[in-house]
Amino acid sequence: MKKKAFSKNKLYTLIALLFIIGILGFLQANSAQFSYQISILERSAIYAVVAVSMNLLTGFTGLFSLGQAGFMAIGAYTVAILTIPVETRASVYYVDGIAPFLANLQCPYWLALIIAGLFAAGVAALIGIPVLRLKSDYLAIATLGFSEIIRAVIAAPQLNKVTNGSYGLKSIPGFPNLFVAFGLCALCILLMVLLINSSYGRAFKALREDEVAAQAMGLNLFRYKELAFIISSFFTGVGGGLLAIFMRSIESKTFSINLTYDILLIVVLGGIGSITGSVIGSFLVTAGREWLRFFDNPLYIAGVQIPLFRSGFRMVIFSILLMAVVLFYRRGIMGSNEFSWNGLFRLIKGIPGRLKKKNKAQKGENA
């Protein structure tokens, strides 16, 4: 019976995968017509990688870090510097020129993403030594401060020949196609899922549940905290590199505190401790902001302008919708659960029953 259920789940997963590939193929074949929709999907997938990496640290290890924007900036600038074509660098570094050791340094995007992740992980290893001795809110404040320091260093005029300072970087090669973008994001998320389900992942969860009990079982608390912080920062750096490839031009303002808050919003909305929730939350938040853009445009009815429809009203509506979701799903959309076909089918089967109970209750009240 279990084998039958397992084979059914594999079949459903394969069908869903083929369906997604089919949609991506259709969008890629009509990329000129659906460029706007493609950009939303690509950004959602990239944010999903960063949200899952944040959930790895916050939801599965219990460490509350707000330094995601800083590590994304490290990854983004690393990828940008390593992938901008040599022949166009003179037009990018047009103020103070480029440092001699970077003038002819170029590598493919996949290698640049790995280097970006390693660079971010290296920085995390260094700052993790003092920072990870802090707990809860103090850790969040320290990592938030680090994020702002990184942004200030990147924009410093002393680094104009490396990061181009406040002028930003442009002419970054984009993704070859939609499959590459989604394939890289899916690979990153898959690697994190495998890690969470490994012995290291179980150690991270033990730290989250009870540090005293975990230490009594022989776990080195600082070692596993540092490891979780480094791994999370690695994938956050890769996510920043993917964002640079997607945007094709970046500046230090892109990686402000607001970016960290956006990622945190995705994690909380999807469910702290749920990989599936982070992915779903990423697509809902990113797409929701774009689909509500019509609220920012003036609306006229019979020649009279509706006063609420103006620039900025979109975010008001978006915030109200988020509040409604949080009120009904206080632990997020998925809570700490993961997606399963059996759970989906139970949910669908339970809808008619819940509707019948609701109708009976209403009839009883009317009587």
Side-chain angles (χ1 to χ4, degrees), residues 6 10 29 47 73 79 82 91 107 118 126-127 141 176-177 238 302 306 363:
F6 181 70
K10 286 176 70 176
Y47 281 180
V79 168
L82 293 176
S91 63
C107 62
L118 292 173
L126 289 176
I127 70 160
I141 293 169
N177 53 61
V238 173
I306 306 300
K363 286 179 180 178

Coordinates of all heavy atoms in Angstrom, one line a residue, residues 6 10 29 47 73 79 82 91 107 118 126-127 141 176-177 238 302 306 363:
F6 N 3.6 5.8 -2.7 CA 4.8 6.4 -3.1 C 4.9 6.6 -4.6 O 5.4 7.6 -5.1 CB 6.0 5.6 -2.5 CG 7.3 6.2 -2.8 CD1 7.7 7.3 -2.2 CD2 8.2 5.6 -3.8 CE1 9.0 7.9 -2.5 CE2 9.4 6.1 -4.0 CZ 9.8 7.3 -3.4
K10 N 5.2 10.1 -6.9 CA 6.2 10.3 -7.9 C 5.6 10.6 -9.2 O 6.1 11.5 -9.9 CB 7.1 9.0 -8.0 CG 8.1 8.8 -6.8 CD 8.8 7.6 -6.9 CE 9.8 7.6 -8.1 NZ 10.7 6.4 -8.1
A29 N 9.4 30.7 -25.7 CA 9.2 30.8 -27.1 C 8.5 32.1 -27.5 O 8.6 32.6 -28.6 CB 8.3 29.6 -27.6
Y47 N 14.2 35.5 -5.3 CA 13.8 35.8 -3.9 C 13.5 34.5 -3.2 O 13.7 34.5 -1.9 CB 12.6 36.7 -3.9 CG 12.9 38.2 -4.2 CD1 11.9 39.2 -4.2 CD2 14.2 38.6 -4.4 CE1 12.2 40.5 -4.4 CE2 14.5 39.9 -4.6 CZ 13.5 40.9 -4.6 OH 13.8 42.2 -4.9
A73 N 24.5 41.8 -1.5 CA 25.3 42.9 -2.2 C 26.7 42.3 -2.5 O 27.3 42.6 -3.6 CB 25.5 44.1 -1.2
V79 N 29.7 38.9 -8.8 CA 29.2 38.4 -10.1 C 29.3 39.5 -11.1 O 29.8 39.2 -12.3 CB 27.8 37.9 -10.0 CG1 27.2 37.6 -11.4 CG2 27.8 36.6 -9.2
L82 N 33.0 40.1 -12.2 CA 33.6 39.0 -12.9 C 33.0 38.7 -14.2 O 33.6 38.0 -15.0 CB 33.5 37.8 -12.0 CG 34.4 37.8 -10.7 CD1 34.1 36.5 -9.9 CD2 35.9 37.9 -11.0
S91 N 33.5 51.8 -20.5 CA 32.3 52.6 -20.5 C 31.6 52.5 -19.1 O 30.7 53.3 -18.8 CB 31.4 52.2 -21.6 OG 30.9 50.8 -21.5
C107 N 35.0 35.7 -16.1 CA 34.7 34.3 -16.1 C 33.3 34.0 -16.4 O 32.5 35.0 -16.3 CB 35.1 33.7 -14.7 SG 34.2 34.4 -13.3
L118 N 31.1 31.7 -2.3 CA 32.3 31.5 -1.4 C 32.8 32.8 -0.7 O 33.2 32.7 0.4 CB 33.4 30.8 -2.2 CG 33.1 29.4 -2.7 CD1 34.2 29.0 -3.7 CD2 33.0 28.4 -1.6
L126 N 34.0 35.2 9.1 CA 34.8 36.1 9.9 C 33.9 36.9 10.9 O 34.2 37.0 12.0 CB 35.5 37.1 8.9 CG 36.6 36.6 8.1 CD1 37.2 37.6 7.1 CD2 37.8 36.1 9.0
I127 N 32.8 37.4 10.4 CA 31.9 38.2 11.3 C 31.1 37.3 12.2 O 30.6 37.7 13.2 CB 31.0 39.1 10.5 CG1 29.9 38.3 9.8 CG2 31.7 40.0 9.5 CD1 28.7 39.1 9.4
I141 N 20.2 42.9 15.4 CA 20.7 44.3 15.3 C 22.1 44.3 14.8 O 22.5 45.1 13.9 CB 20.6 45.0 16.7 CG1 19.1 45.2 17.0 CG2 21.3 46.3 16.6 CD1 18.9 45.6 18.5
P176 N 20.9 33.4 -20.2 CA 20.7 33.0 -21.6 C 19.3 32.7 -21.9 O 18.8 33.0 -23.0 CB 21.6 31.7 -21.7 CG 22.5 31.8 -20.5 CD 21.8 32.5 -19.5
N177 N 18.6 32.0 -21.0 CA 17.1 31.8 -21.2 C 16.5 31.5 -19.9 O 17.1 31.5 -18.8 CB 16.9 30.6 -22.2 CG 17.7 29.3 -21.7 OD1 17.5 28.8 -20.6 ND2 18.7 28.9 -22.5
V238 N 24.8 33.7 -3.5 CA 24.5 33.2 -4.8 C 23.2 33.9 -5.3 O 23.0 34.3 -6.5 CB 24.3 31.7 -4.8 CG1 23.7 31.2 -6.1 CG2 25.6 31.0 -4.5
A302 N -17.1 58.6 -14.7 CA -18.0 59.7 -15.2 C -17.3 61.0 -15.1 O -17.9 62.1 -14.7 CB -19.3 59.7 -14.4
I306 N -11.4 59.4 -8.7 CA -11.4 58.7 -7.4 C -10.2 59.1 -6.6 O -9.1 58.8 -7.1 CB -11.6 57.2 -7.6 CG1 -12.7 56.8 -8.5 CG2 -11.7 56.5 -6.2 CD1 -14.1 57.3 -8.0
K363 N -28.2 27.5 8.9 CA -29.6 27.1 9.0 C -30.1 27.1 10.4 O -31.2 27.5 10.8 CB -29.8 25.7 8.3 CG -29.8 25.8 6.8 CD -30.0 24.4 6.2 CE -29.9 24.4 4.7 NZ -30.1 23.1 4.1

